[in-house]
Amino acid sequence: MSEGTMQRRAERDQGAQRAKRLHRVLVCAAAVPVMLIASGCSSDSGSGDSGSGGDKAAGAGATVSASESAAPTVQAAAYNSLPEACGVLSKKTLKSLVPEASKSGKKGTAEAGTRGSCSWSSLDNNGVKGSQFRWLNVSLLRFESDTSRGTGEAQAQKYYDQQIQDAKSVAGAKNAKSQAVAGTGDAATLVRYDLKKKEGAFKQQTVVTRVENVVVTVDYNGAGLAGDKAPSADTLGKLAGQAAKETVSAVSAANGEGAAPPAPSDSASGSKPPSKSASPSASPSKSASKSASPSKSVAKTS
């Protein structure tokens, strides 16, 4: 074999060996990303099961549990219903307070279980001897426990205090006095004053009572018209107190034994201060002030 032939064969062998080495390098290079990807996937899945992913899941569960345990609660209201306002007084009582009035009364703005009112007007006309006028209004307002406004009882107490202050601050009132009324609800106050109108001199009596989460307001006034003498304020006050006590009894009867089990409630809206209808923010005090105005009542009947 010639030297040239041997040299060419050696060159071919070297070229073949270089080609094989290059092939192995390329194959290994191509395999490295696949291994890295596989390794990365395996690492991610493992860490998700037992690493930070698991910690996140555990943390989320702890947060939900903590939120549930920290949810605000409020004592449930004792009374959950109200009687019909026009049916709270007996015929005998109505005969004593408003003898010439319709026994059915005039129903005011009402929402079942939340609020109601009823009024009666009586004019005993004795011709040239004058007339005796009487006007009676009974209103009821129930408060539901609510996490943002507090217990129904606390809301009722606040409204009770407000009603008393409103009665004391009526424009034109003279000789205003107030006194506690015993044996009526959880708290009761009588506010009385004289009010001079063109129709005559009126003797106004307002009894505000709170029983549990309900406030009862009885407005009662009388006047001697056309020269007749004014009625006795003491007599009117006793009659108004009787009406308040009877109304409180009707509220208790409408709720059976009265008190609900002292279990916490997590209601966030009260059942409804107060939707507008149920909430004291729906201006129940304004309606009470209107109903307590003797001048408007006389204007309607005279």
Side-chain angles (χ1 to χ4, degrees):
M1 185 180 295
S2 65
E3 182 179 353
T5 300
M6 294 176 65
Q7 183 176 357
R8 287 194 296 273
R9 181 177 291 179
E11 289 176 352
R12 285 198 300 271
D13 293 341
Q14 291 176 354
Q17 290 176 359
R18 286 196 298 270
K20 289 180 179 179
R21 287 197 297 271
L22 178 60
H23 177 73
R24 286 198 297 270
V25 170
L26 292 175
V27 169
C28 290
V32 169
V34 174
M35 294 175 65
L36 290 175
I37 293 172
S39 176
C41 293
S42 175
S43 175
D44 288 345
S45 62
S47 62
D49 292 339
S50 60
S52 60
D55 293 340
K56 290 179 181 179
T63 301
V64 172
S65 178
S67 299
E68 290 177 351
S69 62
T73 59
V74 63
Q75 186 72 26
Y79 290 156
N80 55 24
S81 63
L82 290 176
E84 287 292 333
C86 290
V88 296
L89 300 178
S90 66
K91 293 181 178 180
K92 181 179 178 180
T93 298
L94 289 173
K95 186 67 176 178
S96 299
L97 276 75
V98 281
E100 302 301 321
S102 168
K103 299 302 182 289
S104 59
K106 182 179 180 181
K107 187 176 181 179
T109 302
E111 182 176 348
T114 300
R115 68 177 67 213
S117 66
C118 193
S119 61
W120 296 261
S121 293
S122 171
L123 182 63
D124 185 6
N125 191 339
N126 296 311
V128 296
K129 294 182 179 180
S131 303
Q132 285 292 320
F133 175 78
R134 301 289 186 273
W135 181 75
L136 172 67
N137 185 84
V138 176
S139 65
L140 306 96
L141 183 62
R142 185 183 69 86
F143 293 84
E144 187 62 68
S145 294
D146 180 85
T147 53
S148 62
R149 289 183 291 272
T151 65
E153 182 177 336
Q155 294 177 68
Q157 181 64 41
K158 183 177 181 180
Y159 181 63
Y160 167 83
D161 294 335
Q162 176 187 322
Q163 286 289 83
I164 294 172
Q165 292 304 314
D166 288 348
K168 290 180 177 179
S169 59
V170 171
K174 303 293 184 182
N175 305 318
K177 297 178 182 179
S178 64
Q179 63 187 65
V181 178
T184 304
D186 296 311
T189 300
L190 166 64
V191 179
R192 60 168 62 177
Y193 54 83
D194 299 333
L195 200 60
K196 183 70 175 179
K197 295 292 182 179
K198 63 180 181 179
E199 297 90 351
F202 290 83
K203 302 288 184 179
Q204 172 69 33
Q205 317 291 316
T206 297
V207 180
V208 185
T209 305
R210 180 186 68 79
V211 54
E212 298 290 357
N213 56 310
V214 174
V215 176
V216 172
T217 303
V218 174
D219 289 300
Y220 184 51
N221 63 62
L225 308 179
D228 204 351
K229 65 179 182 179
S232 166
D234 289 340
T235 300
L236 294 179
K238 290 179 180 179
L239 290 172
Q242 178 183 340
K245 190 171 185 177
E246 197 168 311
T247 302
V248 167
S249 295
V251 172
S252 297
N255 288 275
E257 292 298 322
S265 167
D266 49 12
S267 167
S269 60
S271 23
K272 323 236 96 199
S275 74
K276 294 182 179 180
S277 60
S279 170
S281 62
S283 303
S285 59
K286 291 183 180 180
S287 62
S289 299
K290 290 180 181 179
S291 65
S293 174
S295 60
K296 291 185 178 180
S297 303
V298 174
K300 290 180 181 180
T301 57
S302 59

